[in-house]
Amino acid sequence: EDYQRGTTAISEDTLQEVGGALTRTPDGFPLHRTVGRLLETKKEMFKSGKGFDWATAEALAFGSLLTEGFPVRLAGQDSTRGTFSQRHSVLYDRETEQRYVTLNHLEDHQRVEYEVINSMLSEEAVLGFEYGYSLSEPKTLTLWEAQFGDFVNGAQIIIDQYIVAAEDKWDQRNGVVLLLPHGYDGQGPEQSSARIERFLTLAAEDNMQVTQPTTAANFFHLLRRQVLRPFRKPLVVFTPKKLLRYPDAVSTMADLAEGKFQAVIDDPQRGGSSADGVKHVVLCSGKFYYDLLEERKKRVQAGEMDSIALVRLEQLYPFPTAELGAILDRYEGA
């Protein structure tokens, strides 16, 4: 329960305010056509209250924290655009190359700002700097993003000697966030494995948080939780490529405004009062949930009995024993 402190829900008015800034550009600003279409898609999300994808939820987490007085700093290779062209947090004038940072135009005389940096390909140096930054500025959401999962290899000494050990060695707490693309998508295992097992080997005595959210809303609440709680712990987030634009991974305005981070997500179809008839509970994490969900749909359509519940572990460490136990207790016949 200590890991759940901090209210991350936020009013729809604030979300709409941030959304207005995300989709607004200066008069006459010549956008690339593709980016222009993306902004139109975002506008439709805010009109309908549905379809919020991963990158939009992330931007809303950043923007909402800015409105509450928490600066946000993101560094990594190609983080401005996003490795998979998902973020576009800086817009460029195609004629003059002038930069326009949407999140720094939330209101007149904005108190704190969003800083995003395309860093050099020296992971140890960059993560070392961001770790130090998070120590000196504990009220800033400080994030380091690896362009691909295996880029964390180059930063391993900072992780081993400082991030996961500093609290035990020096009573030095920090809240740095590592965003690590993961999921064996795209460029093969050497670029898309962020080595979950390596982080779980380093996890002990509540020294960090290891997570793999599967919905845009859960990612939103996870980022907000990181600075809204009264303590600091390093946060490792295994982020997807497939789920960035996957239609089932989107969330609604209500999910963002009213929800909270869920360390475990029960099967939305078979959980609660629908648990009768469930014979097997499958625990999974990450994109495997959606792979399993697709397979279950095929089997149901083929006339096989729907007796399997899919339960997602969104936080791998600290292990959510109480939350998982409460969910498993519902499946008495499994």
Side-chain angles (χ1 to χ4, degrees), residues 69-172:
F70 297 98
V72 178
R73 174 185 170 91
L74 170 64
Q77 303 92 0
D78 205 15
S79 288
T80 297
R81 182 195 63 163
T83 292
F84 307 112
S85 296
Q86 82 278 12
R87 186 172 288 125
H88 296 288
S89 56
V90 177
L91 306 179
Y92 290 89
D93 183 319
R94 295 186 67 197
E95 298 172 3
T96 66
E97 296 189 14
Q98 176 187 351
R99 289 163 49 101
Y100 181 79
V101 183
T102 54
L103 285 175
N104 288 336
H105 296 274
L106 295 170
E107 56 189 358
D108 295 334
H109 311 296
Q110 190 169 321
R111 291 177 293 161
V112 295
E113 292 195 339
Y114 168 59
E115 186 175 16
V116 58
I117 300 145
N118 286 339
S119 64
M120 59 183 177
L121 276 168
S122 178
E123 292 82 9
E124 180 184 352
V126 178
L127 181 56
F129 185 90
E130 300 309 320
Y131 167 73
Y133 195 97
S134 72
L135 289 175
S136 63
E137 297 291 339
K139 290 189 176 181
T140 296
L141 179 64
T142 304
L143 311 99
W144 174 71
E145 181 177 58
Q147 187 165 30
F148 292 100
D150 72 335
F151 283 25
V152 77
N153 291 344
Q156 196 64 49
I157 192 170
I158 300 297
I159 296 165
D160 291 348
Q161 299 298 324
Y162 296 94
I163 292 176
V164 304
E167 183 174 356
D168 192 50
K169 289 198 289 189
W170 307 303
D171 199 25
Q172 184 74 271

Side-chain angles (χ1 to χ4, degrees), residues 217-232:
N218 224 25
F219 184 47
F220 168 87
H221 291 292
L222 178 62
L223 292 175
R224 285 180 50 76
R225 185 182 77 161
Q226 185 65 3
V227 293
L228 291 175
R229 296 177 307 180
F231 60 89
R232 295 290 177 261

Side-chain angles (χ1 to χ4, degrees), residues 249-260:
V250 300
S251 300
T252 65
M253 178 80 78
D255 295 330
L256 302 173
E258 301 166 12
K260 65 179 181 179

Side-chain angles (χ1 to χ4, degrees), residues 166-275:
E167 183 174 356
D168 192 50
K169 289 198 289 189
W170 307 303
D171 199 25
Q172 184 74 271
R173 296 165 179 81
N174 80 94
V176 70
V177 180
L178 277 61
L179 301 179
L180 309 178
H182 181 79
Y184 292 90
D185 293 313
Q187 311 252 357
E190 265 305 297
Q191 288 209 320
S192 55
S193 173
R195 309 295 198 273
I196 290 179
E197 65 282 358
R198 186 180 292 171
F199 285 94
L200 293 180
T201 300
L202 292 168
E205 300 181 16
D206 290 345
N207 62 335
M208 62 174 164
Q209 307 150 98
V210 181
T211 63
Q212 191 174 22
T214 58
T215 70
N218 224 25
F219 184 47
F220 168 87
H221 291 292
L222 178 62
L223 292 175
R224 285 180 50 76
R225 185 182 77 161
Q226 185 65 3
V227 293
L228 291 175
R229 296 177 307 180
F231 60 89
R232 295 290 177 261
K233 294 278 184 179
L235 171 63
V236 180
V237 188
F238 297 105
T239 60
K241 179 182 177 184
K242 174 179 177 177
L243 303 189
L244 294 177
R245 298 178 177 87
Y246 192 74
D248 287 347
V250 300
S251 300
T252 65
M253 178 80 78
D255 295 330
L256 302 173
E258 301 166 12
K260 65 179 181 179
F261 176 70
Q262 300 178 75
V264 187
I265 299 180
D266 197 1
D267 192 316
Q269 296 177 26
R270 303 313 311 271
S273 60
S274 303

